[in-house]
Amino acid sequence: MIAVVEDVVTSGASLLRAVDRISAAGYRPVQALTILDRQEGGREAIEERGFVLQALFTRQDLGINKIE
């Protein structure tokens, strides 16, 4: 099983680039993990590609309105 781990997910683009590179190398990622989901569309982009994003925390969990 290949898990792709990202520290912070905003748009999901970095995590999805990693998925593409891992796939190009002949492996099939099956899990997407992050420490913080900034809740700015990344989860949706990742789910559109067939992955469920598991986050330890969301921006809402931390009571942060906007991360700068």
Side-chain angles (χ1 to χ4, degrees):
M1 175 168 80
I2 305 267
V4 180
V5 181
E6 180 73 275
D7 55 351
V8 177
V9 168
T10 304
S11 69
S14 295
L15 190 140
L16 292 173
R17 274 194 303 274
V19 165
D20 291 340
R21 290 178 180 158
I22 292 166
S23 297
Y27 300 97
R28 183 169 122 28
V30 297
Q31 192 168 16
L33 307 167
T34 188
I35 297 169
L36 177 64
D37 177 1
R38 293 175 79 174
Q39 298 179 302
E40 295 183 16
R43 176 180 298 276
E44 294 79 5
I46 292 164
E47 289 179 352
E48 283 178 17
R49 293 279 300 273
F51 297 95
V52 175
L53 179 67
Q54 293 181 299
L56 290 178
F57 303 101
T58 65
R59 184 172 69 187
Q60 183 179 10
D61 293 336
L62 300 178
I64 301 170
N65 291 327
K66 184 172 181 174
I67 298 173
E68 297 188 28

